[in-house]
PDB file of all heavy atoms in Angstrom:
ATOM      1  N   GLU A  60      16.583   8.972  -4.208  1.00 98.00           N
ATOM      2  CA  GLU A  60      16.964   8.963  -5.634  1.00 98.00           C
ATOM      3  C   GLU A  60      18.171   8.058  -5.888  1.00 98.00           C
ATOM      4  O   GLU A  60      18.292   7.443  -6.938  1.00 98.00           O
ATOM      5  CB  GLU A  60      17.147  10.394  -6.142  1.00 98.00           C
ATOM      6  CG  GLU A  60      15.775  11.060  -6.250  1.00 98.00           C
ATOM      7  CD  GLU A  60      15.771  12.521  -6.672  1.00 98.00           C
ATOM      8  OE1 GLU A  60      16.848  13.160  -6.632  1.00 98.00           O
ATOM      9  OE2 GLU A  60      14.688  13.027  -7.034  1.00 98.00           O
ATOM     10  N   LYS A  61      19.037   7.972  -4.908  1.00 98.00           N
ATOM     11  CA  LYS A  61      20.178   7.059  -5.003  1.00 98.00           C
ATOM     12  C   LYS A  61      19.673   5.609  -5.060  1.00 98.00           C
ATOM     13  O   LYS A  61      20.164   4.786  -5.834  1.00 98.00           O
ATOM     14  CB  LYS A  61      21.062   7.247  -3.745  1.00 98.00           C
ATOM     15  CG  LYS A  61      22.394   6.603  -3.840  1.00 98.00           C
ATOM     16  CD  LYS A  61      23.472   7.637  -4.165  1.00 98.00           C
ATOM     17  CE  LYS A  61      24.535   7.054  -5.050  1.00 98.00           C
ATOM     18  NZ  LYS A  61      25.148   8.020  -5.943  1.00 98.00           N
ATOM     19  N   MET A  62      18.657   5.316  -4.239  1.00 98.00           N
ATOM     20  CA  MET A  62      18.084   3.959  -4.240  1.00 98.00           C
ATOM     21  C   MET A  62      17.420   3.651  -5.590  1.00 98.00           C
ATOM     22  O   MET A  62      17.482   2.522  -6.074  1.00 98.00           O
ATOM     23  CB  MET A  62      17.061   3.797  -3.100  1.00 98.00           C
ATOM     24  CG  MET A  62      17.684   3.784  -1.711  1.00 98.00           C
ATOM     25  SD  MET A  62      16.455   3.746  -0.382  1.00 98.00           S
ATOM     26  CE  MET A  62      15.933   2.024  -0.436  1.00 98.00           C
ATOM     27  N   ILE A  63      16.797   4.657  -6.184  1.00 98.00           N
ATOM     28  CA  ILE A  63      16.183   4.460  -7.521  1.00 98.00           C
ATOM     29  C   ILE A  63      17.290   4.112  -8.516  1.00 98.00           C
ATOM     30  O   ILE A  63      17.195   3.136  -9.263  1.00 98.00           O
ATOM     31  CB  ILE A  63      15.448   5.739  -8.013  1.00 98.00           C
ATOM     32  CG1 ILE A  63      14.290   6.093  -7.089  1.00 98.00           C
ATOM     33  CG2 ILE A  63      14.956   5.552  -9.456  1.00 98.00           C
ATOM     34  CD1 ILE A  63      13.590   7.415  -7.440  1.00 98.00           C
ATOM     35  N   GLU A  64      18.353   4.924  -8.459  1.00 98.00           N
ATOM     36  CA  GLU A  64      19.484   4.726  -9.369  1.00 98.00           C
ATOM     37  C   GLU A  64      20.079   3.324  -9.234  1.00 98.00           C
ATOM     38  O   GLU A  64      20.421   2.679 -10.212  1.00 98.00           O
ATOM     39  CB  GLU A  64      20.562   5.747  -8.986  1.00 98.00           C
ATOM     40  CG  GLU A  64      21.272   6.418 -10.115  1.00 98.00           C
ATOM     41  CD  GLU A  64      22.156   7.505  -9.521  1.00 98.00           C
ATOM     42  OE1 GLU A  64      21.655   8.645  -9.327  1.00 98.00           O
ATOM     43  OE2 GLU A  64      23.327   7.211  -9.210  1.00 98.00           O
ATOM     44  N   ASN A  65      20.173   2.860  -7.990  1.00 98.00           N
ATOM     45  CA  ASN A  65      20.746   1.534  -7.722  1.00 98.00           C
ATOM     46  C   ASN A  65      19.757   0.396  -7.957  1.00 98.00           C
ATOM     47  O   ASN A  65      20.037  -0.742  -7.590  1.00 98.00           O
ATOM     48  CB  ASN A  65      21.254   1.460  -6.275  1.00 98.00           C
ATOM     49  CG  ASN A  65      22.428   2.388  -6.035  1.00 98.00           C
ATOM     50  OD1 ASN A  65      23.115   2.790  -6.979  1.00 98.00           O
ATOM     51  ND2 ASN A  65      22.652   2.754  -4.783  1.00 98.00           N
ATOM     52  N   LYS A  66      18.604   0.725  -8.489  1.00 97.00           N
ATOM     53  CA  LYS A  66      17.564  -0.281  -8.791  1.00 97.00           C
ATOM     54  C   LYS A  66      17.182  -1.106  -7.564  1.00 97.00           C
ATOM     55  O   LYS A  66      17.018  -2.320  -7.629  1.00 97.00           O
ATOM     56  CB  LYS A  66      18.016  -1.196  -9.937  1.00 97.00           C
ATOM     57  CG  LYS A  66      18.387  -0.454 -11.205  1.00 97.00           C
ATOM     58  CD  LYS A  66      18.187  -1.316 -12.415  1.00 97.00           C
ATOM     59  CE  LYS A  66      18.384  -0.623 -13.754  1.00 97.00           C
ATOM     60  NZ  LYS A  66      18.602   0.804 -13.784  1.00 97.00           N
ATOM     61  N   GLU A  67      17.038  -0.402  -6.431  1.00 98.00           N
ATOM     62  CA  GLU A  67      16.693  -1.109  -5.196  1.00 98.00           C
ATOM     63  C   GLU A  67      15.197  -1.277  -4.988  1.00 98.00           C
ATOM     64  O   GLU A  67      14.761  -1.894  -4.026  1.00 98.00           O
ATOM     65  CB  GLU A  67      17.273  -0.351  -3.994  1.00 98.00           C
ATOM     66  CG  GLU A  67      18.783  -0.433  -3.914  1.00 98.00           C
ATOM     67  CD  GLU A  67      19.334   0.352  -2.733  1.00 98.00           C
ATOM     68  OE1 GLU A  67      18.834   0.168  -1.606  1.00 98.00           O
ATOM     69  OE2 GLU A  67      20.254   1.162  -2.938  1.00 98.00           O
ATOM     70  N   PHE A  68      14.384  -0.692  -5.886  1.00 98.00           N
ATOM     71  CA  PHE A  68      12.938  -0.746  -5.671  1.00 98.00           C
ATOM     72  C   PHE A  68      12.230  -1.740  -6.583  1.00 98.00           C
ATOM     73  O   PHE A  68      12.548  -1.865  -7.765  1.00 98.00           O
ATOM     74  CB  PHE A  68      12.319   0.636  -5.884  1.00 98.00           C
ATOM     75  CG  PHE A  68      12.668   1.617  -4.804  1.00 98.00           C
ATOM     76  CD1 PHE A  68      13.406   2.757  -5.090  1.00 98.00           C
ATOM     77  CD2 PHE A  68      12.260   1.398  -3.496  1.00 98.00           C
ATOM     78  CE1 PHE A  68      13.742   3.660  -4.091  1.00 98.00           C
ATOM     79  CE2 PHE A  68      12.588   2.292  -2.490  1.00 98.00           C
ATOM     80  CZ  PHE A  68      13.326   3.428  -2.786  1.00 98.00           C
ATOM     81  N   LEU A  69      11.251  -2.404  -5.998  1.00 97.00           N
ATOM     82  CA  LEU A  69      10.347  -3.264  -6.763  1.00 97.00           C
ATOM     83  C   LEU A  69       9.401  -2.370  -7.556  1.00 97.00           C
ATOM     84  O   LEU A  69       9.008  -2.673  -8.676  1.00 97.00           O
ATOM     85  CB  LEU A  69       9.544  -4.096  -5.749  1.00 97.00           C
ATOM     86  CG  LEU A  69       8.676  -5.221  -6.222  1.00 97.00           C
ATOM     87  CD1 LEU A  69       9.545  -6.378  -6.680  1.00 97.00           C
ATOM     88  CD2 LEU A  69       7.787  -5.693  -5.072  1.00 97.00           C
ATOM     89  N   GLU A  70       9.020  -1.262  -6.933  1.00 98.00           N
ATOM     90  CA  GLU A  70       8.201  -0.219  -7.547  1.00 98.00           C
ATOM     91  C   GLU A  70       8.405   1.028  -6.725  1.00 98.00           C
ATOM     92  O   GLU A  70       8.763   0.943  -5.550  1.00 98.00           O
ATOM     93  CB  GLU A  70       6.714  -0.614  -7.572  1.00 98.00           C
ATOM     94  CG  GLU A  70       6.045  -0.854  -6.201  1.00 98.00           C
ATOM     95  CD  GLU A  70       5.824   0.390  -5.358  1.00 98.00           C
ATOM     96  OE1 GLU A  70       5.518   1.443  -5.938  1.00 98.00           O
ATOM     97  OE2 GLU A  70       5.974   0.320  -4.133  1.00 98.00           O
ATOM     98  N   TYR A  71       8.133   2.182  -7.323  1.00 98.00           N
ATOM     99  CA  TYR A  71       8.083   3.411  -6.533  1.00 98.00           C
ATOM    100  C   TYR A  71       7.185   4.401  -7.249  1.00 98.00           C
ATOM    101  O   TYR A  71       6.901   4.254  -8.432  1.00 98.00           O
ATOM    102  CB  TYR A  71       9.483   4.004  -6.290  1.00 98.00           C
ATOM    103  CG  TYR A  71      10.116   4.594  -7.515  1.00 98.00           C
ATOM    104  CD1 TYR A  71       9.952   5.949  -7.825  1.00 98.00           C
ATOM    105  CD2 TYR A  71      10.859   3.799  -8.366  1.00 98.00           C
ATOM    106  CE1 TYR A  71      10.516   6.484  -8.960  1.00 98.00           C
ATOM    107  CE2 TYR A  71      11.429   4.336  -9.506  1.00 98.00           C
ATOM    108  CZ  TYR A  71      11.252   5.678  -9.798  1.00 98.00           C
ATOM    109  OH  TYR A  71      11.794   6.200 -10.935  1.00 98.00           O
ATOM    110  N   ALA A  72       6.716   5.387  -6.499  1.00 97.00           N
ATOM    111  CA  ALA A  72       5.813   6.375  -7.081  1.00 97.00           C
ATOM    112  C   ALA A  72       5.930   7.669  -6.308  1.00 97.00           C
ATOM    113  O   ALA A  72       6.468   7.697  -5.194  1.00 97.00           O
ATOM    114  CB  ALA A  72       4.375   5.860  -7.014  1.00 97.00           C
ATOM    115  N   ASN A  73       5.392   8.721  -6.925  1.00 97.00           N
ATOM    116  CA  ASN A  73       5.297   9.994  -6.245  1.00 97.00           C
ATOM    117  C   ASN A  73       3.849  10.153  -5.816  1.00 97.00           C
ATOM    118  O   ASN A  73       2.951   9.989  -6.628  1.00 97.00           O
ATOM    119  CB  ASN A  73       5.703  11.110  -7.207  1.00 97.00           C
ATOM    120  CG  ASN A  73       6.035  12.363  -6.459  1.00 97.00           C
ATOM    121  OD1 ASN A  73       5.156  12.957  -5.839  1.00 97.00           O
ATOM    122  ND2 ASN A  73       7.292  12.758  -6.480  1.00 97.00           N
ATOM    123  N   PHE A  74       3.639  10.405  -4.554  1.00 94.00           N
ATOM    124  CA  PHE A  74       2.270  10.551  -4.035  1.00 94.00           C
ATOM    125  C   PHE A  74       2.177  11.864  -3.276  1.00 94.00           C
ATOM    126  O   PHE A  74       2.855  12.044  -2.273  1.00 94.00           O
ATOM    127  CB  PHE A  74       1.934   9.355  -3.125  1.00 94.00           C
ATOM    128  CG  PHE A  74       0.550   9.405  -2.532  1.00 94.00           C
ATOM    129  CD1 PHE A  74      -0.532   8.845  -3.203  1.00 94.00           C
ATOM    130  CD2 PHE A  74       0.322  10.017  -1.310  1.00 94.00           C
ATOM    131  CE1 PHE A  74      -1.808   8.898  -2.662  1.00 94.00           C
ATOM    132  CE2 PHE A  74      -0.959  10.079  -0.767  1.00 94.00           C
ATOM    133  CZ  PHE A  74      -2.015   9.516  -1.445  1.00 94.00           C
ATOM    134  N   VAL A  75       1.341  12.777  -3.783  1.00 90.00           N
ATOM    135  CA  VAL A  75       1.125  14.083  -3.151  1.00 90.00           C
ATOM    136  C   VAL A  75       2.450  14.730  -2.701  1.00 90.00           C
ATOM    137  O   VAL A  75       2.607  15.154  -1.564  1.00 90.00           O
ATOM    138  CB  VAL A  75       0.106  13.988  -1.981  1.00 90.00           C
ATOM    139  CG1 VAL A  75      -0.362  15.359  -1.539  1.00 90.00           C
ATOM    140  CG2 VAL A  75      -1.125  13.182  -2.364  1.00 90.00           C
ATOM    141  N   GLY A  76       3.413  14.744  -3.641  1.00 94.00           N
ATOM    142  CA  GLY A  76       4.644  15.488  -3.382  1.00 94.00           C
ATOM    143  C   GLY A  76       5.768  14.728  -2.706  1.00 94.00           C
ATOM    144  O   GLY A  76       6.820  15.303  -2.444  1.00 94.00           O
ATOM    145  N   ASN A  77       5.560  13.453  -2.391  1.00 97.00           N
ATOM    146  CA  ASN A  77       6.646  12.675  -1.801  1.00 97.00           C
ATOM    147  C   ASN A  77       6.831  11.347  -2.526  1.00 97.00           C
ATOM    148  O   ASN A  77       5.893  10.816  -3.109  1.00 97.00           O
ATOM    149  CB  ASN A  77       6.364  12.376  -0.325  1.00 97.00           C
ATOM    150  CG  ASN A  77       6.624  13.573   0.550  1.00 97.00           C
ATOM    151  OD1 ASN A  77       7.747  14.062   0.629  1.00 97.00           O
ATOM    152  ND2 ASN A  77       5.587  14.075   1.177  1.00 97.00           N
ATOM    153  N   TYR A  78       8.063  10.848  -2.448  1.00 98.00           N
ATOM    154  CA  TYR A  78       8.344   9.517  -2.998  1.00 98.00           C
ATOM    155  C   TYR A  78       7.959   8.436  -1.986  1.00 98.00           C
ATOM    156  O   TYR A  78       8.152   8.617  -0.775  1.00 98.00           O
ATOM    157  CB  TYR A  78       9.850   9.335  -3.197  1.00 98.00           C
ATOM    158  CG  TYR A  78      10.483   9.946  -4.399  1.00 98.00           C
ATOM    159  CD1 TYR A  78      11.575  10.802  -4.249  1.00 98.00           C
ATOM    160  CD2 TYR A  78      10.061   9.621  -5.690  1.00 98.00           C
ATOM    161  CE1 TYR A  78      12.222  11.342  -5.356  1.00 98.00           C
ATOM    162  CE2 TYR A  78      10.711  10.151  -6.794  1.00 98.00           C
ATOM    163  CZ  TYR A  78      11.781  11.006  -6.625  1.00 98.00           C
ATOM    164  OH  TYR A  78      12.427  11.518  -7.705  1.00 98.00           O
ATOM    165  N   TYR A  79       7.474   7.323  -2.524  1.00 98.00           N
ATOM    166  CA  TYR A  79       7.222   6.123  -1.723  1.00 98.00           C
ATOM    167  C   TYR A  79       7.697   4.945  -2.563  1.00 98.00           C
ATOM    168  O   TYR A  79       7.408   4.898  -3.761  1.00 98.00           O
ATOM    169  CB  TYR A  79       5.724   5.911  -1.467  1.00 98.00           C
ATOM    170  CG  TYR A  79       5.058   6.953  -0.599  1.00 98.00           C
ATOM    171  CD1 TYR A  79       4.666   8.184  -1.117  1.00 98.00           C
ATOM    172  CD2 TYR A  79       4.798   6.696   0.749  1.00 98.00           C
ATOM    173  CE1 TYR A  79       4.042   9.131  -0.328  1.00 98.00           C
ATOM    174  CE2 TYR A  79       4.163   7.638   1.549  1.00 98.00           C
ATOM    175  CZ  TYR A  79       3.788   8.853   1.005  1.00 98.00           C
ATOM    176  OH  TYR A  79       3.172   9.789   1.797  1.00 98.00           O
ATOM    177  N   GLY A  80       8.394   3.985  -1.957  1.00 98.00           N
ATOM    178  CA  GLY A  80       8.826   2.834  -2.747  1.00 98.00           C
ATOM    179  C   GLY A  80       8.995   1.586  -1.904  1.00 98.00           C
ATOM    180  O   GLY A  80       9.213   1.650  -0.692  1.00 98.00           O
ATOM    181  N   THR A  81       8.887   0.435  -2.575  1.00 98.00           N
ATOM    182  CA  THR A  81       9.022  -0.869  -1.921  1.00 98.00           C
ATOM    183  C   THR A  81      10.425  -1.415  -2.148  1.00 98.00           C
ATOM    184  O   THR A  81      10.778  -1.709  -3.289  1.00 98.00           O
ATOM    185  CB  THR A  81       8.030  -1.884  -2.541  1.00 98.00           C
ATOM    186  OG1 THR A  81       6.716  -1.348  -2.470  1.00 98.00           O
ATOM    187  CG2 THR A  81       8.092  -3.221  -1.834  1.00 98.00           C
ATOM    188  N   PRO A  82      11.242  -1.560  -1.101  1.00 98.00           N
ATOM    189  CA  PRO A  82      12.570  -2.161  -1.282  1.00 98.00           C
ATOM    190  C   PRO A  82      12.409  -3.596  -1.812  1.00 98.00           C
ATOM    191  O   PRO A  82      11.615  -4.378  -1.290  1.00 98.00           O
ATOM    192  CB  PRO A  82      13.166  -2.133   0.122  1.00 98.00           C
ATOM    193  CG  PRO A  82      12.412  -1.050   0.837  1.00 98.00           C
ATOM    194  CD  PRO A  82      11.020  -1.121   0.281  1.00 98.00           C
ATOM    195  N   LYS A  83      13.151  -3.877  -2.889  1.00 97.00           N
ATOM    196  CA  LYS A  83      12.954  -5.125  -3.640  1.00 97.00           C
ATOM    197  C   LYS A  83      13.442  -6.386  -2.909  1.00 97.00           C
ATOM    198  O   LYS A  83      12.747  -7.399  -2.872  1.00 97.00           O
ATOM    199  CB  LYS A  83      13.709  -4.980  -4.964  1.00 97.00           C
ATOM    200  CG  LYS A  83      13.572  -6.136  -5.890  1.00 97.00           C
ATOM    201  CD  LYS A  83      13.868  -5.820  -7.348  1.00 97.00           C
ATOM    202  CE  LYS A  83      15.081  -4.970  -7.605  1.00 97.00           C
ATOM    203  NZ  LYS A  83      15.268  -4.691  -9.039  1.00 97.00           N
ATOM    204  N   GLN A  84      14.642  -6.312  -2.334  1.00 97.00           N
ATOM    205  CA  GLN A  84      15.278  -7.529  -1.836  1.00 97.00           C
ATOM    206  C   GLN A  84      14.465  -8.251  -0.767  1.00 97.00           C
ATOM    207  O   GLN A  84      14.299  -9.472  -0.811  1.00 97.00           O
ATOM    208  CB  GLN A  84      16.692  -7.198  -1.304  1.00 97.00           C
ATOM    209  CG  GLN A  84      17.602  -8.416  -1.249  1.00 97.00           C
ATOM    210  CD  GLN A  84      17.713  -9.114  -2.621  1.00 97.00           C
ATOM    211  OE1 GLN A  84      17.994  -8.460  -3.615  1.00 97.00           O
ATOM    212  NE2 GLN A  84      17.445 -10.407  -2.678  1.00 97.00           N
ATOM    213  N   TYR A  85      13.927  -7.491   0.176  1.00 97.00           N
ATOM    214  CA  TYR A  85      13.140  -8.089   1.263  1.00 97.00           C
ATOM    215  C   TYR A  85      11.985  -8.917   0.687  1.00 97.00           C
ATOM    216  O   TYR A  85      11.753 -10.064   1.090  1.00 97.00           O
ATOM    217  CB  TYR A  85      12.598  -6.984   2.188  1.00 97.00           C
ATOM    218  CG  TYR A  85      11.629  -7.489   3.223  1.00 97.00           C
ATOM    219  CD1 TYR A  85      12.076  -8.010   4.432  1.00 97.00           C
ATOM    220  CD2 TYR A  85      10.251  -7.474   2.985  1.00 97.00           C
ATOM    221  CE1 TYR A  85      11.188  -8.499   5.379  1.00 97.00           C
ATOM    222  CE2 TYR A  85       9.349  -7.960   3.918  1.00 97.00           C
ATOM    223  CZ  TYR A  85       9.821  -8.469   5.113  1.00 97.00           C
ATOM    224  OH  TYR A  85       8.936  -8.954   6.036  1.00 97.00           O
ATOM    225  N   VAL A  86      11.281  -8.320  -0.276  1.00 98.00           N
ATOM    226  CA  VAL A  86      10.102  -8.988  -0.847  1.00 98.00           C
ATOM    227  C   VAL A  86      10.514 -10.270  -1.579  1.00 98.00           C
ATOM    228  O   VAL A  86       9.923 -11.333  -1.370  1.00 98.00           O
ATOM    229  CB  VAL A  86       9.366  -8.021  -1.815  1.00 98.00           C
ATOM    230  CG1 VAL A  86       8.227  -8.747  -2.534  1.00 98.00           C
ATOM    231  CG2 VAL A  86       8.834  -6.821  -1.055  1.00 98.00           C
ATOM    232  N   LEU A  87      11.559 -10.171  -2.403  1.00 97.00           N
ATOM    233  CA  LEU A  87      11.976 -11.348  -3.169  1.00 97.00           C
ATOM    234  C   LEU A  87      12.456 -12.465  -2.244  1.00 97.00           C
ATOM    235  O   LEU A  87      12.153 -13.639  -2.470  1.00 97.00           O
ATOM    236  CB  LEU A  87      13.067 -10.966  -4.184  1.00 97.00           C
ATOM    237  CG  LEU A  87      12.633  -9.948  -5.243  1.00 97.00           C
ATOM    238  CD1 LEU A  87      13.739  -9.714  -6.263  1.00 97.00           C
ATOM    239  CD2 LEU A  87      11.348 -10.362  -5.954  1.00 97.00           C
ATOM    240  N   ASP A  88      13.159 -12.099  -1.163  1.00 97.00           N
ATOM    241  CA  ASP A  88      13.646 -13.110  -0.215  1.00 97.00           C
ATOM    242  C   ASP A  88      12.483 -13.834   0.475  1.00 97.00           C
ATOM    243  O   ASP A  88      12.496 -15.051   0.614  1.00 97.00           O
ATOM    244  CB  ASP A  88      14.548 -12.471   0.860  1.00 97.00           C
ATOM    245  CG  ASP A  88      15.891 -12.034   0.297  1.00 97.00           C
ATOM    246  OD1 ASP A  88      16.200 -12.407  -0.858  1.00 97.00           O
ATOM    247  OD2 ASP A  88      16.623 -11.309   1.004  1.00 97.00           O
ATOM    248  N   ARG A  89      11.477 -13.062   0.931  1.00 97.00           N
ATOM    249  CA  ARG A  89      10.350 -13.694   1.636  1.00 97.00           C
ATOM    250  C   ARG A  89       9.563 -14.600   0.678  1.00 97.00           C
ATOM    251  O   ARG A  89       9.159 -15.689   1.044  1.00 97.00           O
ATOM    252  CB  ARG A  89       9.392 -12.640   2.219  1.00 97.00           C
ATOM    253  CG  ARG A  89       9.986 -11.743   3.293  1.00 97.00           C
ATOM    254  CD  ARG A  89      10.381 -12.448   4.572  1.00 97.00           C
ATOM    255  NE  ARG A  89      11.709 -13.024   4.546  1.00 97.00           N
ATOM    256  CZ  ARG A  89      12.860 -12.335   4.536  1.00 97.00           C
ATOM    257  NH1 ARG A  89      12.866 -11.025   4.557  1.00 97.00           N
ATOM    258  NH2 ARG A  89      14.010 -12.954   4.511  1.00 97.00           N
ATOM    259  N   LEU A  90       9.355 -14.135  -0.543  1.00 97.00           N
ATOM    260  CA  LEU A  90       8.611 -14.961  -1.516  1.00 97.00           C
ATOM    261  C   LEU A  90       9.366 -16.259  -1.769  1.00 97.00           C
ATOM    262  O   LEU A  90       8.765 -17.333  -1.835  1.00 97.00           O
ATOM    263  CB  LEU A  90       8.404 -14.200  -2.833  1.00 97.00           C
ATOM    264  CG  LEU A  90       7.447 -13.001  -2.790  1.00 97.00           C
ATOM    265  CD1 LEU A  90       7.442 -12.279  -4.136  1.00 97.00           C
ATOM    266  CD2 LEU A  90       6.015 -13.421  -2.427  1.00 97.00           C
ATOM    267  N   ALA A  91      10.687 -16.158  -1.881  1.00 97.00           N
ATOM    268  CA  ALA A  91      11.506 -17.347  -2.132  1.00 97.00           C
ATOM    269  C   ALA A  91      11.419 -18.327  -0.957  1.00 97.00           C
ATOM    270  O   ALA A  91      11.503 -19.536  -1.137  1.00 97.00           O
ATOM    271  CB  ALA A  91      12.956 -16.946  -2.391  1.00 97.00           C
ATOM    272  N   GLU A  92      11.211 -17.780   0.250  1.00 97.00           N
ATOM    273  CA  GLU A  92      11.045 -18.646   1.440  1.00 97.00           C
ATOM    274  C   GLU A  92       9.652 -19.255   1.507  1.00 97.00           C
ATOM    275  O   GLU A  92       9.325 -19.956   2.461  1.00 97.00           O
ATOM    276  CB  GLU A  92      11.233 -17.813   2.719  1.00 97.00           C
ATOM    277  CG  GLU A  92      12.665 -17.417   3.004  1.00 97.00           C
ATOM    278  CD  GLU A  92      12.747 -16.333   4.105  1.00 97.00           C
ATOM    279  OE1 GLU A  92      11.716 -16.007   4.730  1.00 97.00           O
ATOM    280  OE2 GLU A  92      13.851 -15.809   4.310  1.00 97.00           O
ATOM    281  N   GLY A  93       8.795 -18.911   0.552  1.00 97.00           N
ATOM    282  CA  GLY A  93       7.435 -19.455   0.540  1.00 97.00           C
ATOM    283  C   GLY A  93       6.457 -18.643   1.372  1.00 97.00           C
ATOM    284  O   GLY A  93       5.320 -19.054   1.596  1.00 97.00           O
ATOM    285  N   LYS A  94       6.881 -17.453   1.823  1.00 97.00           N
ATOM    286  CA  LYS A  94       5.974 -16.619   2.640  1.00 97.00           C
ATOM    287  C   LYS A  94       5.096 -15.753   1.740  1.00 97.00           C
ATOM    288  O   LYS A  94       5.549 -15.276   0.690  1.00 97.00           O
ATOM    289  CB  LYS A  94       6.787 -15.693   3.539  1.00 97.00           C
ATOM    290  CG  LYS A  94       7.649 -16.432   4.533  1.00 97.00           C
ATOM    291  CD  LYS A  94       7.571 -15.789   5.918  1.00 97.00           C
ATOM    292  CE  LYS A  94       8.182 -16.672   6.986  1.00 97.00           C
ATOM    293  NZ  LYS A  94       9.649 -16.579   7.029  1.00 97.00           N
ATOM    294  N   ASN A  95       3.872 -15.534   2.160  1.00 97.00           N
ATOM    295  CA  ASN A  95       3.011 -14.590   1.450  1.00 97.00           C
ATOM    296  C   ASN A  95       3.366 -13.179   1.912  1.00 97.00           C
ATOM    297  O   ASN A  95       3.510 -12.934   3.107  1.00 97.00           O
ATOM    298  CB  ASN A  95       1.537 -14.867   1.751  1.00 97.00           C
ATOM    299  CG  ASN A  95       1.088 -16.195   1.174  1.00 97.00           C
ATOM    300  OD1 ASN A  95       1.755 -16.751   0.297  1.00 97.00           O
ATOM    301  ND2 ASN A  95      -0.037 -16.696   1.644  1.00 97.00           N
ATOM    302  N   VAL A  96       3.519 -12.281   0.952  1.00 98.00           N
ATOM    303  CA  VAL A  96       3.948 -10.916   1.277  1.00 98.00           C
ATOM    304  C   VAL A  96       2.840  -9.923   0.928  1.00 98.00           C
ATOM    305  O   VAL A  96       2.258  -9.999  -0.156  1.00 98.00           O
ATOM    306  CB  VAL A  96       5.213 -10.534   0.467  1.00 98.00           C
ATOM    307  CG1 VAL A  96       5.666  -9.110   0.798  1.00 98.00           C
ATOM    308  CG2 VAL A  96       6.343 -11.517   0.726  1.00 98.00           C
ATOM    309  N   ILE A  97       2.575  -8.995   1.853  1.00 97.00           N
ATOM    310  CA  ILE A  97       1.578  -7.949   1.591  1.00 97.00           C
ATOM    311  C   ILE A  97       2.283  -6.621   1.318  1.00 97.00           C
ATOM    312  O   ILE A  97       3.160  -6.202   2.078  1.00 97.00           O
ATOM    313  CB  ILE A  97       0.631  -7.748   2.795  1.00 97.00           C
ATOM    314  CG1 ILE A  97      -0.149  -9.030   3.060  1.00 97.00           C
ATOM    315  CG2 ILE A  97      -0.330  -6.588   2.541  1.00 97.00           C
ATOM    316  CD1 ILE A  97      -1.201  -8.895   4.151  1.00 97.00           C
TER     317      ILE A  97
END
Side-chain angles (χ1 to χ4, degrees):
E60 288 177 345
K61 192 101 215 149
M62 290 175 76
I63 297 175
E64 221 173 273
N65 294 339
K66 304 207 174 354
E67 290 179 50
F68 289 117
L69 189 72
E70 61 71 36
Y71 71 92
N73 198 294
F74 180 89
V75 193
N77 283 298
Y78 281 126
Y79 294 80
T81 305
K83 183 159 44 181
Q84 201 56 51
Y85 172 85
V86 174
L87 298 184
D88 289 349
R89 296 295 86 69
L90 291 175
E92 287 167 8
K94 297 224 168 80
N95 293 343
V96 180
I97 298 185

